[in-house]
Amino acid sequence: MTPLQSRNAAYALALIVPAALMGGALISQYGFGLFPCQMCWWQRYPHIAAIVFALLAFTMKGRGASDMAVILAAICVGASGLIGGFHAGVEYGWWEGVTSCATVAGGGNPLDAIMNAPVIRCDVAPWTLFGISLAGFNFLISLGGAVLIFALLGKGRKGA
């Protein structure tokens, strides 16, 4: 892989990884009714920021500025992964997490929406695959993606 190909792959991954993870989170929420707890929301915010930084990287003029935007995107992806790792640890009972839970309010009468909203616990995994929760998958994919983005960007910078 040439340095230019490495750099382009880093840019693509900086957008694809957080976009795919956010897409999966939204599909699980709206398609399968797996509503996010508070810690799930915390994992989404860095992915949203990463998508913005990655999109900025594609629009910026100058290699230094666009590389910096990709670096910031990778940091955000890694931060989401670390939050996901903490959340997975809470779900597996390895340590204690936050004490508050999130609710999902619906439309209509606000009081009815609050009273009928489901309580989403942060310490219970609503879904697992091979014993790995969604937070655990976010940890694995995000940290792996962030490391790969940094590695590809570093390889792309060496050859330039």
Side-chain angles (χ1 to χ4, degrees):
M1 183 178 279
T2 68
L4 181 61
Q5 290 172 325
S6 294
R7 184 171 175 262
N8 289 342
Y11 276 54
L13 281 175
L15 180 60
I16 291 168
V17 170
L21 289 169
M22 275 300 299
L26 294 173
I27 289 170
S28 70
Q29 178 178 347
Y30 293 108
F32 300 106
L34 299 175
F35 294 104
C37 69
Q38 187 63 42
M39 292 175 75
C40 294
W41 280 107
W42 294 347
Q43 293 169 72
R44 291 181 183 193
Y45 299 137
H47 282 312
I48 294 167
I51 292 167
V52 170
F53 284 128
L55 289 173
L56 282 173
F58 284 108
T59 63
M60 291 178 149
K61 302 281 190 233
R63 183 173 170 190
S66 57
D67 281 359
M68 181 55 68
V70 171
I71 290 168
L72 291 172
I75 290 169
C76 289
V77 169
S80 178
L82 292 175
I83 296 167
F86 177 75
H87 187 189
V90 170
E91 291 173 335
Y92 299 137
W94 296 342
W95 46 74
E96 192 172 323
V98 297
T99 57
S100 65
C101 291
T103 60
V104 179
N109 182 344
L111 182 57
D112 287 341
I114 292 170
M115 296 306 290
N116 296 323
V119 175
I120 311 300
R121 294 176 51 121
C122 294
D123 60 348
V124 176
W127 180 87
T128 62
L129 178 65
F130 308 119
I132 302 172
S133 68
L134 291 171
F137 278 111
N138 182 43
F139 169 74
L140 295 171
I141 295 168
S142 292
L143 283 185
V147 167
L148 188 55
I149 292 166
F150 280 121
L152 287 168
L153 195 59
K155 185 176 179 185
R157 292 176 75 74
K158 284 182 185 176

